Amino acid sequence: MIDPINSKLYKETLEKWGFYSQLNQLQEECAELIVACNKLRRNVDESKSMMIDELADVVIMTQQIIHSMQVEKEIDDRIKFKLDRLRERLGK
């Protein structure tokens, strides 16, 4: 669920830069997260803080896209489904 305060911020962001610009930004942040994952795996200095920053960026951008597409309920339902499936796979 997206916090109402963030919802207002996401709306303003999308009004300023537009959906496709933000979608491109999400792609860029995902690419930067891939780089951070590789650096963390190789134990590069500062990799943990880089990972934290990139995870935060991806979460924010993902929430913006979810908000703009108005699919919060659908996403919540899929997350629940996938977590339930994971529990099953773990035998819980």
Side-chain angles (χ1 to χ4, degrees), residues 66-83:
I66 290 168
H67 173 77
S68 69
M69 293 177 64
Q70 299 178 358
V71 293
E72 188 174 358
K73 170 136 178 34
E74 291 91 334
I75 296 293
D76 287 345
D77 290 347
R78 290 308 291 169
I79 289 170
K80 182 186 179 312
F81 168 79
K82 289 175 181 256
L83 290 174

Side-chain angles (χ1 to χ4, degrees), residues 4-59:
I5 293 170
N6 292 340
S7 179
K8 183 178 184 297
L9 179 62
Y10 296 156
K11 182 177 186 273
E12 292 169 0
T13 302
L14 287 159
E15 287 171 358
K16 180 168 184 166
W17 287 296
F19 175 77
Y20 291 106
S21 173
Q22 295 309 93
L23 192 59
N24 289 339
Q25 187 66 36
L26 173 59
Q27 276 186 289
E28 184 178 317
E29 298 301 346
C30 288
E32 291 174 1
L33 180 58
I34 291 168
V35 170
C37 288
N38 288 332
K39 288 184 177 186
L40 187 64
R41 188 177 317 122
R42 291 190 317 260
N43 293 315
V44 173
D45 289 342
E46 303 298 320
S47 60
K48 184 176 179 182
S49 65
M50 182 182 185
M51 188 75 174
I52 291 166
D53 281 345
E54 298 310 331
L55 283 166
D57 289 342
V58 168
V59 168

